[in-house]
Amino acid sequence: MTAPYDTPVVIDRREGPYGEVVLRRHGALLQIIANGCFLMDTSDGRSERLLVDAAYDALDGRPEPDLLIGGLGVGFSLAHAAADRRWGRISVVERERAIVDWHRDGPLAGLSARAFADPRTEIVEADLSTHLRETSATYDALCLDIDNGPDWTVTEDNDSLYGPAGLADCARVLRPGGVLAVWSARPSPEFEGSLRNAGFRRVRTEEIPVARGVPDVVHLATGPG
């Protein structure tokens, strides 16, 4: 457990095309900071695991569904998906080379080494919006965790992912009956409306209780068609 007087120690700092990304240690925890915005740490992982499980459950027993995870982060979502033999191909899109490096042979490898070695796993180094717009691949489930939520993005250009054009790209790469799951640090009724306006069905929100403040949530929706 991290004591309140512990001072975070920067392990690595990189400047990339999307700004600064930092990995630091705070007591026993590893933390990722992007452009001064706290993204996530290794303290829990409940909400990242729920993101993956909720998407699978919404597929109603589809055999060996293919999964796209948007955002590698500290690796909780990938590790949880790879530990579940029911998933088929597991693709992870991560735009920050530093984060991929920290998993391949850096401090985060202990959380993700087994998942990285899984033959079902594919790491795609790309911007998620660009990948969704340009890929010819299709998926049964999209689990997106690249921001603190639709209303709290890490960079301004991520806003488009949660608007009409971005949601149209998500719908295009989903197979019939496929599921979109989006993690958020707080509920977003506006985003639920955007999903419905984009033609998504069965739009709902699942809450993940936290120690203090509003709950984390996963926004879930079934693709149009």
Side-chain angles (χ1 to χ4, degrees):
M1 187 171 181
T2 302
Y5 49 80
D6 285 338
T7 301
V9 176
V10 172
I11 299 173
D12 193 13
R13 176 183 281 111
R14 308 271 188 99
E15 193 70 34
Y18 306 101
E20 182 188 69
V21 59
V22 174
L23 180 68
R24 69 185 188 187
R25 188 180 301 279
H26 190 189
L29 305 180
L30 293 170
Q31 304 171 327
I32 295 177
I33 316 294
N35 295 314
C37 179
F38 176 87
L39 282 185
M40 58 188 64
D41 63 26
T42 55
S43 62
D44 192 345
R46 278 181 300 168
S47 58
E48 290 90 343
R49 289 188 284 270
L50 177 62
L51 176 70
V52 172
D53 288 342
Y56 184 88
D57 292 343
L59 289 168
D60 298 326
R62 184 176 303 197
E64 297 187 345
D66 290 337
L67 168 65
L68 172 66
I69 299 173
L72 178 55
V74 297
F76 283 135
S77 295
L78 170 59
H80 190 63
D84 189 341
R85 302 309 302 178
R86 297 175 299 176
W87 286 108
R89 176 170 52 103
I90 304 168
S91 300
V92 182
V93 177
E94 173 56 60
R95 71 181 187 178
E96 296 289 354
R97 168 63 65 87
I99 293 178
V100 176
D101 289 346
W102 297 333
H103 281 278
R104 282 202 171 120
D105 53 13
L108 293 172
L111 292 170
S112 56
R114 184 172 296 180
F116 265 57
D118 193 304
R120 297 171 297 161
T121 297
E122 172 193 28
I123 305 298
V124 180
E125 294 184 33
D127 176 74
L128 179 61
S129 294
T130 302
H131 179 75
L132 293 174
R133 187 167 58 249
E134 298 180 353
T135 186
S136 59
T138 58
Y139 309 90
D140 298 289
L142 307 183
C143 289
L144 307 188
D145 186 10
I146 65 168
D147 294 297
N148 283 319
D151 303 327
W152 189 0
T153 58
V154 175
T155 54
E156 289 185 5
D157 54 349
N158 281 359
D159 290 346
S160 62
L161 179 63
Y162 308 103
L167 292 177
D169 290 331
C170 289
R172 184 186 66 80
V173 302
L174 278 176
R175 294 169 186 161
V179 171
L180 173 64
V182 180
W183 185 90
S184 180
R186 58 192 177 206
S188 176
E190 294 82 4
F191 182 59
E192 289 186 353
S194 296
L195 287 166
R196 293 187 177 95
N197 290 338
F200 282 85
R201 300 172 290 115
R202 298 174 62 191
V203 176
R204 65 265 192 213
T205 299
E206 294 193 12
E207 295 187 351
I208 307 106
V210 296
R212 287 177 292 181
V214 298
D216 296 338
V217 302
V218 174
H219 293 289
L220 289 158
T222 300

